[in-house]
């Protein structure tokens, strides 16, 4: 199957085709014949090298390859990092597509589904309009420890109530923006946010004051990659459902932050 045909089949699994989407070709040829597919949260230089060594024909990445939402490098052609990364991709011969908008438009959302499946919590969730509800309440301290163990995140940061039982969670994964995160946390039916990137001065300070004022609210900051990468690992199974002859492999980019004290 050619890369473009495979991506079209993948996009068709979503509830709708997203107009003006960022899910487009980023490198290589759409006519590349595909036998091996690499999936990743973000196609770092390390991921590109590892996927090429494995023999991947296609990389499907969730986030941008060139540091801009649409991968628009107009005016940045002379940047040495962008130039070196483009050269690395060209030398690899691989095709790169993004799978972002349609991943979030599929029901269930591929990225959230991957996160909850990896956590293995007894939880009910249907859409971003409604909180996810835990069958058995957990404290933020318990959640953070479980997330670190199961998702391999080095350090989950918590703001707000550490030891109050929490039942309803809003999965504000990735980087949806502080406005949406704060609105979700302010809802009376939401106890905590499972967040990716988070605004400390708005969202975390709201959770801290809520806790100090006797209201149980918490924010658990997993990091952007930590909150979304398990969905891209789940994508491997989805792709094999489209074409069982495909070889698929997830390549982890690791966390963007290092912890020198460790």
């Amino acid at each position: 199957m050619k890369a473009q045909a495979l991506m079209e089949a993948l996009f068709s699994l979503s509830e709708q085709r997203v107009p003006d989407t960022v899910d487009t070709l980023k490198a290589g040829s759409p006519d590349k014949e595909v036998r091996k597919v690499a999936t990743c949260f973000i196609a770092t230089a390390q991921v590109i090298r590892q996927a090429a060594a494995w023999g991947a024909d296609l990389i499907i990445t969730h986030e941008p390859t060139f540091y801009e939402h649409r991968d628009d490098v107009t005016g940045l052609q002379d940047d040495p990092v962008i130039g070196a990364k483009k050269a690395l991709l060209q030398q690899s011969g691989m095709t790169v597509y993004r799978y972002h908008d349609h991943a979030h438009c599929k029901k269930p959302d591929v990225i959230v589904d991957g996160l909850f499946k990896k956590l293995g919590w007894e939880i009910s969730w249907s859409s971003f309009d409604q909180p996810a509800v835990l069958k058995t309440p957990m404290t933020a301290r318990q959640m953070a420890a479980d997330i670190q163990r199961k998702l391999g995140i080095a350090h989950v940061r918590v703001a707000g109530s550490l030891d109050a039982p929490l039942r309803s969670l809003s999965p504000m994964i990735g980087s949806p923006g502080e406005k949406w995160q704060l609105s979700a946390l302010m809802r009376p039916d939401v106890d905590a946010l499972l967040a990716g990137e988070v605004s400390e001065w708005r969202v975390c300070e709201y959770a801290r004051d809520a806790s100090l004022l006797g209201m149980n609210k918490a924010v658990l900051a997993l990091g952007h990659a930590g909150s979304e990468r398990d969905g891209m690992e789940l994508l491997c199974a989805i792709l094999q459902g489209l074409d069982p002859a495909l070889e698929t492999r997830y390549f982890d980019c690791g966390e963007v932050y290092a912890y020198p004290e460790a």
Side-chain angles (χ1 to χ4, degrees):
M1 185 183 296
K2 293 184 177 180
Q4 185 174 21
L6 178 59
M7 295 308 298
E8 290 293 325
L10 181 59
F11 297 156
S12 71
L13 298 179
S14 297
E15 293 293 299
Q16 61 181 7
R17 292 301 298 265
V18 180
D20 195 27
T21 182
V22 298
D23 295 347
T24 57
L25 179 75
K26 306 303 178 184
S29 170
D31 295 323
K32 177 84 172 180
E33 286 290 341
V34 176
R35 296 175 300 279
K36 286 188 169 186
V37 183
T39 71
C40 62
F41 166 73
I42 199 161
T44 64
Q46 181 183 36
V47 165
I48 293 167
R49 293 188 182 106
Q50 290 174 339
W54 177 62
D57 304 299
L58 170 66
I59 295 178
I60 302 177
T61 179
H62 185 61
E63 294 297 356
T65 303
F66 298 109
Y67 328 110
E68 198 276 334
H69 186 52
R70 294 185 176 275
D71 288 295
D72 182 0
V73 296
T74 303
L76 299 174
Q77 293 88 339
D78 295 331
D79 179 82
V81 175
I82 291 174
K85 195 169 189 182
K86 281 181 173 286
L88 179 64
L89 282 167
Q90 186 173 12
Q91 291 163 10
S92 75
M94 295 184 295
T95 290
V96 179
Y97 269 93
R98 189 170 174 197
Y99 181 57
H100 179 273
D101 299 344
H102 292 86
H104 289 303
C105 281
K106 188 176 179 296
K107 291 191 182 297
D109 180 300
V110 173
I111 307 303
V112 178
D113 194 31
L115 171 67
F116 285 157
K117 276 183 165 65
K118 182 64 72 72
L119 287 174
W121 296 344
E122 289 188 81
I123 197 165
S124 61
W125 182 76
S126 57
S127 73
F128 286 106
D129 296 331
Q130 299 296 326
V133 179
L134 289 166
K135 182 177 180 181
T136 303
M138 301 170 67
T139 68
R141 191 187 301 274
Q142 290 170 329
M143 287 184 205
D146 204 43
I147 290 167
Q148 288 175 178
R149 179 172 62 86
K150 291 177 178 175
L151 271 58
I153 297 173
H155 187 64
V156 174
R157 294 175 297 164
V158 180
S161 301
L162 269 174
D163 296 306
L166 307 169
R167 180 181 292 275
S168 58
L169 316 172
S170 180
M172 285 285 154
I173 59 171
S175 182
E178 59 194 45
K179 173 185 175 182
W180 301 110
Q181 289 177 325
L182 187 58
S183 295
L185 190 59
M186 286 178 166
R187 288 179 53 153
D189 60 345
V190 169
D191 298 328
L193 300 186
L194 284 183
E197 298 185 40
V198 66
S199 170
E200 294 180 7
W201 74 274
R202 287 191 77 182
V203 182
C204 293
E205 292 295 354
Y206 180 90
R208 174 155 65 175
D209 274 343
S211 177
L212 292 171
L213 292 166
M215 292 165 271
N216 294 329
K217 295 279 187 180
V219 175
L220 291 91
L222 283 60
H224 200 138
S227 70
E228 293 199 318
R229 62 187 176 189
D230 293 297
M232 293 306 287
E233 185 171 11
L234 177 63
L235 179 59
C236 287
I238 295 172
L239 290 167
Q240 288 181 325
L242 291 173
D243 184 352
L246 287 174
E247 289 185 62
T248 61
R249 182 174 170 183
Y250 167 73
F251 288 84
D252 189 49
C253 62
E255 297 182 49
V256 72
Y257 292 112
Y259 298 92
E261 70 278 8

